[in-house]
Amino acid sequence: MNTKRFDEGLKKLKEIDGKAGEKVIESLASIAPDLAKYTIEFPFGDIYQRSGLNLKTRELVTISALTASGNCQPQLNVHINGALNVGCKPIEITEVIIQMAVYAGFPASLNGMFVAKEVVNSYSKCITSESS
Amino acid sequence: MNTKRFDEGLKKLKEIDGKAGEKVIESLASIAPDLAKYTIEFPFGDIYQRSGLNLKTRELVTISALTASGNCQPQLNVHINGALNVGCKPIEITEVIIQMAVYAGFPASLNGMFVAKEVVNSYSKCITSESS
Amino acid sequence: MNTKRFDEGLKKLKEIDGKAGEKVIESLASIAPDLAKYTIEFPFGDIYQRSGLNLKTRELVTISALTASGNCQPQLNVHINGALNVGCKPIEITEVIIQMAVYAGFPASLNGMFVAKEVVNSYSKCITSESS
Amino acid sequence: MNTKRFDEGLKKLKEIDGKAGEKVIESLASIAPDLAKYTIEFPFGDIYQRSGLNLKTRELVTISALTASGNCQPQLNVHINGALNVGCKPIEITEVIIQMAVYAGFPASLNGMFVAKEVVNSYSKCITSESS
Amino acid sequence: MNTKRFDEGLKKLKEIDGKAGEKVIESLASIAPDLAKYTIEFPFGDIYQRSGLNLKTRELVTISALTASGNCQPQLNVHINGALNVGCKPIEITEVIIQMAVYAGFPASLNGMFVAKEVVNSYSKCITSESS
Amino acid sequence: MNTKRFDEGLKKLKEIDGKAGEKVIESLASIAPDLAKYTIEFPFGDIYQRSGLNLKTRELVTISALTASGNCQPQLNVHINGALNVGCKPIEITEVIIQMAVYAGFPASLNGMFVAKEVVNSYSKCITSESS
């Protein structure tokens, strides 16, 4: 039986990235299903539910932290996709990543941008093919 | 003779944090004045001049990156102060820092919040005493 | 009204470090009380409640991670104290910190050890004065 | 001629991960054989020889540090395998990695768990095929 | 129209690594051409132009920082290649990377060395085939 | 009884920073004397003894790594002092630290420079008072 935090978290995560929630549940099912549960409950059932900051800003500050950390490419991928889904423009995302050259150095910024390039490209193609 | 980038950067930095520009110039004068020059030219003369992201959002993504990195307290102090100066509400700043518990862990989030506590408190006092 | 996770978390945190729970609640009360709530709910109400690993081992793996990260001295302080409280011997703690020289380099290991020195010394004095 | 520390280190490393010692020696032979020598002498000839902490605990604190650092996948792979070899149960390993969500954030914990999934799966298959 | 800093930076970057400048410009053209511009202007148009440190030393201190950070393999690749181009001997590069075992731990040093192995090997082959 | 590596390491460390060796031995005596032993044996008895790189370059690449890591101020202090002792000019040290703005961001570079300022100032005073 799921907690209310889990159900609300999964719904929120679906709003951000349609498939990321199911993917994390599936990929952890055989090794540590509870980590999937926590990943949905705490970040998305607690934090992303909060008022005080809109979803677009939440995604942008996540992108800056993940770019600066430099070793979370899979999560950066999910959240750039999520940012686009909740209405961020590509230029807002790339501006955040460019700014990280100041705070985390050029390698972190460049490597973050290469992730953005891939996600934004797939996203555009996906939208183009959907609408054709 | 200053470059145009320097003059515009210094002006922008004054807009963000009235005294930070002079402080960095002064504090580096005897050891590495060129680092002060670069600090003003590139981050504030190039990056913070860019359109595509407003100043408030630029400050919030900086706060998230500095909180997540966990070892830039002096700069976090400057940019929390700067965020308040350019119109961010304290709650927007604290939401960003809380969210970093998800991406960088609780210690980084807690240590960032202790910096925010100090800055927000001084800021309120400062405003109260100015207006009294 | 507190959640069950909060109440159980606070109890667990008291078991680990008698005063750390109250301190974090107090110190965040004026700036971000919800971060205190999450700090007690998720780490201590969820994770430290789990079976599969005893409390002593949980404290030792926390000490290694905090030593390796190199910028969480306040939390390292709390958890070295906590490790002693739940029955770890000083030598187990110092062995973990020495081993971090291998994985995170000598500076991280040395700086972690200086925290351990302070905590272990205060702890011994505290116990000596209590029993005299 | 090998030092005593090297010979004892290589023996200890074989106990932890049968092939890791030879692999590191081989892979560095053409570029920096001395780094292989140091890797065996200091970590395994000095540190892992020490009393005060049993091998299982040494492996668990290594796994927590490598998971938290987030950019040592090859070494995390070796030490999860090593942990299984010296008698850690898969659940002890996954508990350590889950706990890192608290101290290093969810991305580090998730990426560490994906390494664990791979290693634990191969390990089980390997044991199954050996015993059939 | 390029700035003088860009033109001088591109020239300097060509001196360090013949193709890296064009590659970064090309790879960012569709997503964030300004990041390519900044990458050439500030690091190579400002910093690498400075006197006070020769190019060989500049490359070696870059290699140590990138090895220690542990998550900048693409940039480490470029700068090991660059170090060879400006006259560093392979042994100088491998010594720097070995030394990082002390300051950043063995995993960072080993992972840096595996990048060096690949670059030094390709470099030798390339030179051999050019001169044959 | 000390190992040969320890004796040679202590001699080397004295050459780099006259008092750092004794300080680390003293400061760890009550908590983990073996960590002092390893700190002298491996870095200074093994690594700094190696040919292939002169002492001045060894100190400069150490300064870049410690500046970039951003959380090793005590060790950065020791090695800036050491760099001056083995003949590095202040400008070589400050150039290395400025260059870290490129690879680790401005906060790391600025915080490293503030350490350099203090060390270089004390060093000059010390020399002035010695020669007067």
Side-chain angles (χ1 to χ4, degrees), chain C residues 9-60:
Chain C
L10 192 55
K11 204 174 140 193
K12 180 62 77 182
L13 183 45
K14 272 188 189 160
E15 189 185 338
I16 295 171
D17 181 323
K19 293 167 190 166
E22 282 161 42
K23 252 194 224 165
V24 80
I25 292 170
E26 239 173 79
S27 66
L28 295 173
S30 69
I31 183 85
D34 286 0
L35 181 55
K37 188 174 86 87
Y38 295 133
T39 303
I40 287 160
E41 280 182 352
F42 177 60
F44 302 100
D46 285 346
I47 303 301
Y48 281 78
Q49 300 289 333
R50 296 173 61 83
S51 59
L53 217 55
N54 61 46
L55 255 187
K56 284 176 55 176
T57 308
R58 288 205 182 274
E59 286 303 319
L60 293 178

Short mmCIF file of all heavy atoms in Angstrom, two decimals, chain C residues 9-60:
data_model
loop_
_atom_site.label_atom_id
_atom_site.label_comp_id
_atom_site.label_asym_id
_atom_site.label_seq_id
_atom_site.Cartn_x
_atom_site.Cartn_y
_atom_site.Cartn_z
N GLY C 9 11.58 9.70 14.36
CA GLY C 9 12.87 10.23 13.95
C GLY C 9 13.55 10.98 15.08
O GLY C 9 14.75 10.82 15.34
N LEU C 10 12.78 11.79 15.78
CA LEU C 10 13.33 12.56 16.89
C LEU C 10 13.83 11.63 17.99
O LEU C 10 14.89 11.87 18.59
CB LEU C 10 12.25 13.52 17.44
CG LEU C 10 12.75 14.60 18.40
CD1 LEU C 10 13.87 15.43 17.77
CD2 LEU C 10 11.60 15.52 18.81
N LYS C 11 13.06 10.57 18.23
CA LYS C 11 13.46 9.58 19.25
C LYS C 11 14.78 8.91 18.83
O LYS C 11 15.69 8.73 19.65
CB LYS C 11 12.34 8.54 19.36
CG LYS C 11 12.30 7.81 20.69
CD LYS C 11 11.08 6.89 20.78
CE LYS C 11 11.45 5.57 21.44
NZ LYS C 11 10.38 4.56 21.27
N LYS C 12 14.86 8.54 17.58
CA LYS C 12 16.08 7.89 17.08
C LYS C 12 17.27 8.86 17.15
O LYS C 12 18.36 8.49 17.58
CB LYS C 12 15.86 7.45 15.63
CG LYS C 12 17.01 6.76 14.94
CD LYS C 12 17.43 5.46 15.62
CE LYS C 12 16.45 4.33 15.28
NZ LYS C 12 16.81 3.06 15.95
N LEU C 13 17.05 10.09 16.77
CA LEU C 13 18.13 11.08 16.80
C LEU C 13 18.60 11.31 18.24
O LEU C 13 19.80 11.49 18.50
CB LEU C 13 17.67 12.39 16.14
CG LEU C 13 18.67 13.54 16.01
CD1 LEU C 13 20.03 13.09 15.51
CD2 LEU C 13 18.13 14.63 15.11
N LYS C 14 17.66 11.28 19.18
CA LYS C 14 18.04 11.40 20.61
C LYS C 14 18.92 10.24 21.05
O LYS C 14 19.83 10.41 21.86
CB LYS C 14 16.79 11.46 21.50
CG LYS C 14 16.30 12.89 21.67
CD LYS C 14 15.18 12.99 22.70
CE LYS C 14 14.60 14.41 22.64
NZ LYS C 14 13.25 14.49 23.22
N GLU C 15 18.62 9.08 20.52
CA GLU C 15 19.41 7.89 20.84
C GLU C 15 20.85 8.04 20.31
O GLU C 15 21.81 7.59 20.93
CB GLU C 15 18.71 6.68 20.18
CG GLU C 15 19.26 5.33 20.55
CD GLU C 15 18.56 4.23 19.74
OE1 GLU C 15 17.43 4.47 19.23
OE2 GLU C 15 19.16 3.14 19.59
N ILE C 16 20.95 8.68 19.17
CA ILE C 16 22.26 8.87 18.53
C ILE C 16 23.02 10.04 19.15
O ILE C 16 24.19 9.92 19.51
CB ILE C 16 22.09 9.11 17.01
CG1 ILE C 16 21.52 7.84 16.35
CG2 ILE C 16 23.43 9.49 16.36
CD1 ILE C 16 21.11 8.00 14.91
N ASP C 17 22.36 11.17 19.28
CA ASP C 17 23.01 12.35 19.86
C ASP C 17 21.95 13.13 20.62
O ASP C 17 21.12 13.80 20.03
CB ASP C 17 23.63 13.20 18.74
CG ASP C 17 24.35 14.44 19.27
OD1 ASP C 17 23.86 15.04 20.26
OD2 ASP C 17 25.38 14.81 18.72
N GLY C 18 22.00 13.03 21.94
CA GLY C 18 20.97 13.55 22.82
C GLY C 18 20.44 14.93 22.46
O GLY C 18 19.24 15.17 22.52
N LYS C 19 21.33 15.83 22.08
CA LYS C 19 20.89 17.22 21.91
C LYS C 19 20.80 17.67 20.46
O LYS C 19 20.33 18.77 20.18
CB LYS C 19 21.84 18.14 22.68
CG LYS C 19 21.75 17.93 24.19
CD LYS C 19 22.91 18.62 24.89
CE LYS C 19 22.95 18.22 26.36
NZ LYS C 19 24.23 18.58 27.00
N ALA C 20 21.28 16.87 19.52
CA ALA C 20 21.35 17.32 18.13
C ALA C 20 19.97 17.64 17.55
O ALA C 20 19.80 18.60 16.80
CB ALA C 20 22.05 16.29 17.25
N GLY C 21 18.97 16.85 17.92
CA GLY C 21 17.63 17.05 17.40
C GLY C 21 17.07 18.41 17.82
O GLY C 21 16.60 19.19 16.99
N GLU C 22 17.15 18.68 19.13
CA GLU C 22 16.64 19.97 19.61
C GLU C 22 17.41 21.14 19.01
O GLU C 22 16.84 22.18 18.68
CB GLU C 22 16.75 20.03 21.14
CG GLU C 22 15.65 19.23 21.83
CD GLU C 22 16.00 18.91 23.27
OE1 GLU C 22 16.53 19.81 23.95
OE2 GLU C 22 15.77 17.76 23.69
N LYS C 23 18.72 20.94 18.90
CA LYS C 23 19.55 22.01 18.35
C LYS C 23 19.15 22.36 16.93
O LYS C 23 19.03 23.53 16.59
CB LYS C 23 21.02 21.56 18.34
CG LYS C 23 21.88 22.26 19.38
CD LYS C 23 23.35 22.02 19.07
CE LYS C 23 24.10 21.67 20.33
NZ LYS C 23 25.43 21.09 20.05
N VAL C 24 18.93 21.35 16.09
CA VAL C 24 18.60 21.64 14.69
C VAL C 24 17.22 22.28 14.60
O VAL C 24 16.99 23.19 13.81
CB VAL C 24 18.73 20.38 13.79
CG1 VAL C 24 17.55 19.45 13.88
CG2 VAL C 24 18.97 20.77 12.33
N ILE C 25 16.29 21.84 15.45
CA ILE C 25 14.95 22.44 15.47
C ILE C 25 15.03 23.91 15.89
O ILE C 25 14.47 24.80 15.25
CB ILE C 25 14.01 21.66 16.42
CG1 ILE C 25 13.74 20.27 15.85
CG2 ILE C 25 12.70 22.40 16.64
CD1 ILE C 25 13.03 19.32 16.80
N GLU C 26 15.77 24.15 16.96
CA GLU C 26 15.93 25.52 17.47
C GLU C 26 16.63 26.43 16.47
O GLU C 26 16.20 27.55 16.22
CB GLU C 26 16.81 25.47 18.71
CG GLU C 26 16.17 26.01 19.97
CD GLU C 26 17.09 25.75 21.14
OE1 GLU C 26 18.06 26.52 21.29
OE2 GLU C 26 16.85 24.76 21.87
N SER C 27 17.72 25.93 15.91
CA SER C 27 18.54 26.80 15.07
C SER C 27 17.86 27.15 13.76
O SER C 27 18.19 28.15 13.13
CB SER C 27 19.89 26.16 14.81
OG SER C 27 19.73 25.00 14.03
N LEU C 28 16.88 26.33 13.34
CA LEU C 28 16.19 26.61 12.09
C LEU C 28 14.82 27.25 12.30
O LEU C 28 14.16 27.65 11.34
CB LEU C 28 16.05 25.33 11.25
CG LEU C 28 17.34 24.71 10.75
CD1 LEU C 28 17.07 23.37 10.08
CD2 LEU C 28 18.05 25.64 9.75
N ALA C 29 14.40 27.38 13.56
CA ALA C 29 13.05 27.84 13.87
C ALA C 29 12.71 29.17 13.20
O ALA C 29 11.61 29.36 12.68
CB ALA C 29 12.85 27.94 15.38
N SER C 30 13.65 30.09 13.20
CA SER C 30 13.35 31.43 12.70
C SER C 30 13.50 31.55 11.19
O SER C 30 13.06 32.53 10.59
CB SER C 30 14.27 32.45 13.37
OG SER C 30 15.60 32.27 12.92
N ILE C 31 14.17 30.62 10.57
CA ILE C 31 14.45 30.77 9.13
C ILE C 31 13.76 29.72 8.26
O ILE C 31 13.19 30.05 7.23
CB ILE C 31 15.98 30.80 8.85
CG1 ILE C 31 16.29 31.04 7.36
CG2 ILE C 31 16.68 29.51 9.28
CD1 ILE C 31 16.32 32.46 6.97
N ALA C 32 13.77 28.45 8.67
CA ALA C 32 13.18 27.41 7.83
C ALA C 32 12.83 26.18 8.67
O ALA C 32 13.46 25.14 8.54
CB ALA C 32 14.14 27.02 6.71
N PRO C 33 11.79 26.31 9.51
CA PRO C 33 11.44 25.19 10.40
C PRO C 33 11.16 23.89 9.64
O PRO C 33 11.41 22.80 10.17
CB PRO C 33 10.19 25.69 11.14
CG PRO C 33 9.73 26.91 10.41
CD PRO C 33 10.91 27.47 9.69
N ASP C 34 10.68 23.99 8.41
CA ASP C 34 10.39 22.77 7.65
C ASP C 34 11.66 21.98 7.32
O ASP C 34 11.60 20.76 7.16
CB ASP C 34 9.67 23.11 6.34
CG ASP C 34 8.23 23.48 6.58
OD1 ASP C 34 7.80 23.48 7.76
OD2 ASP C 34 7.53 23.81 5.61
N LEU C 35 12.78 22.65 7.19
CA LEU C 35 14.02 21.91 6.94
C LEU C 35 14.39 21.06 8.16
O LEU C 35 14.87 19.93 8.01
CB LEU C 35 15.17 22.85 6.55
CG LEU C 35 16.50 22.17 6.25
CD1 LEU C 35 16.38 21.11 5.16
CD2 LEU C 35 17.57 23.20 5.84
N ALA C 36 14.13 21.59 9.35
CA ALA C 36 14.34 20.80 10.57
C ALA C 36 13.42 19.57 10.55
O ALA C 36 13.84 18.45 10.85
CB ALA C 36 14.09 21.65 11.81
N LYS C 37 12.17 19.81 10.20
CA LYS C 37 11.20 18.72 10.11
C LYS C 37 11.68 17.62 9.15
O LYS C 37 11.71 16.44 9.50
CB LYS C 37 9.85 19.29 9.64
CG LYS C 37 8.68 18.32 9.67
CD LYS C 37 7.37 19.02 9.32
CE LYS C 37 7.13 19.06 7.83
NZ LYS C 37 6.44 17.88 7.28
N TYR C 38 12.10 18.02 7.94
CA TYR C 38 12.58 17.03 6.97
C TYR C 38 13.84 16.32 7.47
O TYR C 38 14.01 15.13 7.23
CB TYR C 38 12.89 17.69 5.63
CG TYR C 38 11.69 18.27 4.92
CD1 TYR C 38 11.73 19.56 4.39
CD2 TYR C 38 10.53 17.53 4.77
CE1 TYR C 38 10.63 20.09 3.73
CE2 TYR C 38 9.42 18.07 4.11
CZ TYR C 38 9.48 19.34 3.60
OH TYR C 38 8.39 19.86 2.95
N THR C 39 14.72 17.08 8.12
CA THR C 39 15.98 16.50 8.61
C THR C 39 15.73 15.40 9.63
O THR C 39 16.50 14.45 9.75
CB THR C 39 16.85 17.61 9.25
OG1 THR C 39 17.06 18.64 8.28
CG2 THR C 39 18.20 17.07 9.69
N ILE C 40 14.65 15.55 10.36
CA ILE C 40 14.32 14.53 11.35
C ILE C 40 13.50 13.41 10.72
O ILE C 40 13.74 12.24 10.98
CB ILE C 40 13.62 15.19 12.56
CG1 ILE C 40 14.68 15.96 13.36
CG2 ILE C 40 12.92 14.16 13.44
CD1 ILE C 40 14.15 17.00 14.26
N GLU C 41 12.56 13.78 9.85
CA GLU C 41 11.68 12.78 9.24
C GLU C 41 12.40 11.80 8.31
O GLU C 41 12.25 10.59 8.44
CB GLU C 41 10.58 13.47 8.42
CG GLU C 41 9.43 14.00 9.24
CD GLU C 41 8.36 14.64 8.37
OE1 GLU C 41 8.58 14.81 7.14
OE2 GLU C 41 7.30 14.97 8.89
N PHE C 42 13.14 12.35 7.32
CA PHE C 42 13.69 11.45 6.31
C PHE C 42 14.93 10.68 6.81
O PHE C 42 14.93 9.45 6.85
CB PHE C 42 13.95 12.18 4.98
CG PHE C 42 14.59 11.30 3.95
CD1 PHE C 42 13.95 10.14 3.51
CD2 PHE C 42 15.84 11.60 3.44
CE1 PHE C 42 14.55 9.31 2.57
CE2 PHE C 42 16.46 10.78 2.51
CZ PHE C 42 15.81 9.62 2.07
N PRO C 43 15.98 11.39 7.24
CA PRO C 43 17.15 10.61 7.69
C PRO C 43 16.85 9.73 8.91
O PRO C 43 17.17 8.54 8.91
CB PRO C 43 18.19 11.68 8.03
CG PRO C 43 17.79 12.88 7.23
CD PRO C 43 16.29 12.83 7.15
N PHE C 44 16.20 10.32 9.93
CA PHE C 44 16.08 9.58 11.18
C PHE C 44 14.73 8.87 11.34
O PHE C 44 14.64 7.87 12.04
CB PHE C 44 16.37 10.52 12.37
CG PHE C 44 17.75 11.11 12.25
CD1 PHE C 44 17.95 12.39 11.76
CD2 PHE C 44 18.86 10.33 12.55
CE1 PHE C 44 19.23 12.91 11.59
CE2 PHE C 44 20.14 10.84 12.39
CZ PHE C 44 20.33 12.13 11.91
N GLY C 45 13.69 9.37 10.68
CA GLY C 45 12.38 8.70 10.74
C GLY C 45 12.26 7.60 9.70
O GLY C 45 11.53 6.63 9.88
N ASP C 46 12.96 7.75 8.59
CA ASP C 46 12.93 6.71 7.54
C ASP C 46 14.21 5.84 7.58
O ASP C 46 14.13 4.65 7.83
CB ASP C 46 12.83 7.34 6.14
CG ASP C 46 11.43 7.87 5.82
OD1 ASP C 46 10.48 7.54 6.53
OD2 ASP C 46 11.31 8.63 4.84
N ILE C 47 15.34 6.46 7.26
CA ILE C 47 16.56 5.68 6.98
C ILE C 47 17.14 4.98 8.22
O ILE C 47 17.38 3.78 8.20
CB ILE C 47 17.63 6.59 6.32
CG1 ILE C 47 17.06 7.24 5.04
CG2 ILE C 47 18.90 5.79 6.03
CD1 ILE C 47 16.61 6.27 3.98
N TYR C 48 17.38 5.74 9.29
CA TYR C 48 17.99 5.13 10.47
C TYR C 48 17.05 4.15 11.18
O TYR C 48 17.47 3.46 12.10
CB TYR C 48 18.49 6.21 11.45
CG TYR C 48 19.81 6.84 11.04
CD1 TYR C 48 19.87 7.79 10.04
CD2 TYR C 48 21.01 6.47 11.64
CE1 TYR C 48 21.07 8.37 9.64
CE2 TYR C 48 22.22 7.04 11.26
CZ TYR C 48 22.23 7.99 10.26
OH TYR C 48 23.43 8.56 9.89
N GLN C 49 15.79 4.11 10.80
CA GLN C 49 14.84 3.15 11.35
C GLN C 49 14.97 1.77 10.71
O GLN C 49 14.45 0.79 11.23
CB GLN C 49 13.39 3.61 11.09
CG GLN C 49 13.00 4.94 11.68
CD GLN C 49 12.88 4.90 13.19
OE1 GLN C 49 12.61 3.85 13.77
NE2 GLN C 49 13.11 6.02 13.84
N ARG C 50 15.60 1.73 9.57
CA ARG C 50 15.60 0.51 8.77
C ARG C 50 16.44 -0.58 9.42
O ARG C 50 17.47 -0.32 10.03
CB ARG C 50 16.16 0.80 7.38
CG ARG C 50 15.31 1.77 6.59
CD ARG C 50 15.98 2.17 5.30
NE ARG C 50 16.20 1.03 4.45
CZ ARG C 50 15.29 0.50 3.63
NH1 ARG C 50 14.10 1.06 3.54
NH2 ARG C 50 15.56 -0.56 2.90
N SER C 51 16.03 -1.80 9.20
CA SER C 51 16.86 -2.93 9.60
C SER C 51 17.84 -3.20 8.46
O SER C 51 17.88 -2.46 7.48
CB SER C 51 15.99 -4.16 9.85
OG SER C 51 15.27 -4.47 8.68
N GLY C 52 18.67 -4.21 8.58
CA GLY C 52 19.61 -4.52 7.49
C GLY C 52 21.01 -4.01 7.78
O GLY C 52 21.98 -4.44 7.15
N LEU C 53 21.08 -3.07 8.70
CA LEU C 53 22.38 -2.50 9.09
C LEU C 53 22.22 -2.00 10.53
O LEU C 53 21.24 -1.30 10.82
CB LEU C 53 22.70 -1.31 8.17
CG LEU C 53 24.13 -1.05 7.73
CD1 LEU C 53 24.75 -2.27 7.05
CD2 LEU C 53 24.19 0.13 6.78
N ASN C 54 23.14 -2.35 11.42
CA ASN C 54 22.98 -1.85 12.78
C ASN C 54 23.43 -0.40 12.91
O ASN C 54 24.10 0.13 12.03
CB ASN C 54 23.71 -2.76 13.79
CG ASN C 54 25.19 -2.80 13.50
OD1 ASN C 54 25.82 -1.77 13.26
ND2 ASN C 54 25.76 -4.00 13.53
N LEU C 55 23.03 0.24 14.00
CA LEU C 55 23.30 1.67 14.20
C LEU C 55 24.79 1.99 14.19
O LEU C 55 25.20 3.03 13.66
CB LEU C 55 22.71 2.13 15.54
CG LEU C 55 21.43 2.96 15.48
CD1 LEU C 55 21.07 3.47 16.86
CD2 LEU C 55 21.56 4.14 14.50
N LYS C 56 25.60 1.11 14.75
CA LYS C 56 27.03 1.36 14.77
C LYS C 56 27.59 1.43 13.35
O LYS C 56 28.35 2.34 13.02
CB LYS C 56 27.77 0.26 15.57
CG LYS C 56 27.63 0.40 17.07
CD LYS C 56 28.28 -0.76 17.81
CE LYS C 56 29.74 -0.96 17.46
NZ LYS C 56 30.37 -2.03 18.26
N THR C 57 27.18 0.49 12.51
CA THR C 57 27.65 0.52 11.12
C THR C 57 27.10 1.73 10.39
O THR C 57 27.81 2.36 9.60
CB THR C 57 27.26 -0.78 10.39
OG1 THR C 57 27.70 -1.90 11.17
CG2 THR C 57 27.92 -0.87 9.03
N ARG C 58 25.84 2.07 10.66
CA ARG C 58 25.27 3.27 10.02
C ARG C 58 26.11 4.51 10.37
O ARG C 58 26.35 5.36 9.51
CB ARG C 58 23.82 3.50 10.48
CG ARG C 58 22.84 2.49 9.88
CD ARG C 58 21.42 3.00 9.78
NE ARG C 58 20.54 1.96 9.23
CZ ARG C 58 20.34 1.75 7.93
NH1 ARG C 58 20.92 2.53 7.04
NH2 ARG C 58 19.56 0.78 7.52
N GLU C 59 26.52 4.61 11.62
CA GLU C 59 27.33 5.77 12.00
C GLU C 59 28.70 5.74 11.31
O GLU C 59 29.20 6.78 10.87
CB GLU C 59 27.48 5.86 13.52
CG GLU C 59 26.21 6.33 14.23
CD GLU C 59 25.73 7.69 13.72
OE1 GLU C 59 26.56 8.57 13.49
OE2 GLU C 59 24.51 7.86 13.53
N LEU C 60 29.30 4.56 11.21
CA LEU C 60 30.63 4.49 10.60
C LEU C 60 30.61 4.84 9.11
O LEU C 60 31.50 5.53 8.61
CB LEU C 60 31.26 3.11 10.83
CG LEU C 60 31.60 2.78 12.29
CD1 LEU C 60 32.18 1.36 12.40
CD2 LEU C 60 32.58 3.78 12.91
#
